[in-house]
Amino acid sequence: MNRLTDHLRVAALPLDIKWADREANFKMLEEALTQLPERTDVLVLPELFSTGYADEPETLRNLAERNTGQTIDRLKELAARFGVAIAGSYLASTPPGIYNRAFFIEPTGEETFYDKRHLFSLSSEAKTFKAGTELPPVVRFRGWNIAMTICYDLRFPVWCRCRRNAYDLLLVVANWPQARGYAFEHLLIARAIENQCAVVGADRGGTDAYGCYDGLTQIYDCFGKPVGQLCGPFVVADLSRMRQDEYRRKFPASEDADDFVVQF
């Protein structure tokens, strides 16, 4: 394995999302990108980075966009300008439904999407959003296989299972409040350990009507150890495929994993 495919620099941005203010959120993102560490390969944004969470149907309809809308177009421009893949989620409209849709936008303009499967039933999310029906996709980028999930999905290990080492890195984009921060940290660690892969927990920052969020964004290696370091507004880690692959070879737990069939 050469250096280009071994090392991956990942940065997570705990954006202090301004509710329903797309322009303000993009302005903060663009300002942060001027401080992006050199040679960053993947930038991970929080859940619903451009709008924050909304639970009123009319507000949702007004904020939601198609995949061909302004939000994805602007992300493609930023990915190309800074030479970095950008992941996160946004309010997406695929009539007749509204979805919490994760995206992975490559510098070339290639796009991959995933709709949040597990909607938070303790809020109105499950009533106002449509649930996704497809397993998290695996994106091949710079020699790494990368999967995406969204917030509450993290609590469901079967859904996040890395079958036969199908992915090397799991991105978890979130709006996860400090009130449940202990669970967030330990669920991320568990997903890293059981799947023998690196995991990025990209939480938002600041506060909103649902709580405070600062301090939960972190990156974990395949041993479940925190490896993210603060670098300006980002949490950054340099990951090694060679080290991870060696661990998987020496301790091939995936070979003993259970197979299952997902039924909808």
Side-chain angles (χ1 to χ4, degrees):
M1 180 179 294
N2 62 45
R3 181 177 178 81
L4 291 177
T5 58
D6 177 29
H7 294 279
L8 194 78
R9 176 166 289 177
V10 181
L13 178 62
L15 194 69
D16 182 0
I17 300 168
K18 306 306 176 188
W19 185 80
D21 193 339
R22 187 178 291 110
E23 288 304 316
N25 293 318
F26 263 103
K27 182 178 179 181
M28 288 190 295
L29 171 58
E30 292 183 14
E31 289 174 352
L33 280 166
T34 65
Q35 304 175 61
L36 187 69
E38 292 184 4
R39 299 185 301 281
T40 296
D41 297 291
V42 179
L43 169 63
V44 191
L45 305 178
E47 179 184 21
L48 302 175
F49 85 98
S50 58
T51 59
Y53 178 72
D55 59 6
E56 200 280 323
E58 185 175 353
T59 302
L60 283 171
R61 287 192 294 270
N62 291 335
L63 291 173
E65 298 180 58
R66 300 290 190 98
N67 291 352
T68 54
Q70 185 184 56
T71 292
I72 298 302
D73 285 347
R74 292 174 74 171
L75 288 168
K76 287 182 177 180
E77 188 276 325
L78 292 172
R81 189 197 317 171
F82 291 93
V84 63
I86 304 178
S89 89
Y90 81 112
L91 278 175
S93 173
T94 301
I98 302 296
Y99 294 84
N100 187 342
R101 180 165 293 160
F103 55 81
F104 190 94
I105 307 297
E106 302 179 37
T108 59
E110 291 184 66
E111 57 188 30
T112 303
F113 297 104
Y114 161 73
D115 292 333
K116 185 177 183 180
R117 167 63 177 170
H118 299 91
L119 302 178
F120 193 50
S121 58
L122 297 181
S123 74
S124 61
E125 183 183 42
K127 298 183 180 72
T128 53
F129 288 77
K130 294 287 188 181
T133 58
E134 301 293 329
L135 283 166
V138 176
V139 181
R140 182 75 173 177
F141 183 70
R142 295 184 180 172
W144 288 64
N145 295 318
I146 302 172
M148 301 182 290
T149 58
I150 303 175
C151 204
Y152 195 43
D153 286 330
L154 177 65
R155 286 186 177 268
F156 303 92
V158 174
W159 188 254
C160 300
R161 181 74 69 232
C162 184
R163 298 163 194 81
R164 297 179 177 82
N165 295 332
Y167 62 79
D168 310 303
L169 171 64
L170 177 64
L171 309 181
V172 183
V173 302
N175 276 212
W176 198 296
Q178 289 177 351
R180 294 186 290 277
Y182 182 88
F184 187 60
E185 175 187 358
H186 288 82
L187 288 167
L188 290 167
I189 292 170
R191 300 296 85 81
I193 292 172
E194 70 196 12
N195 294 310
Q196 298 180 297
C197 72
V199 175
V200 178
D203 199 28
R204 65 161 291 174
T207 62
D208 67 5
Y210 304 97
C212 301
Y213 300 87
D214 291 328
L216 297 183
T217 293
Q218 184 53 275
I219 302 171
Y220 299 89
D221 67 10
C222 60
F223 302 98
K225 296 179 180 178
V227 292
Q229 300 291 327
L230 282 174
C231 185
F234 302 97
V235 176
V236 182
D238 290 314
L239 304 174
S240 170
R241 264 284 307 281
M242 189 176 297
R243 180 169 177 261
Q244 182 168 292
D245 288 350
E246 182 181 6
Y247 171 51
R248 284 174 163 180
R249 284 193 297 271
K250 289 183 176 179
F251 191 75
S254 65
E255 294 180 6
D256 299 322
D258 300 304
D259 288 327
F260 75 102
V261 176
V262 177
Q263 296 180 343
F264 297 111

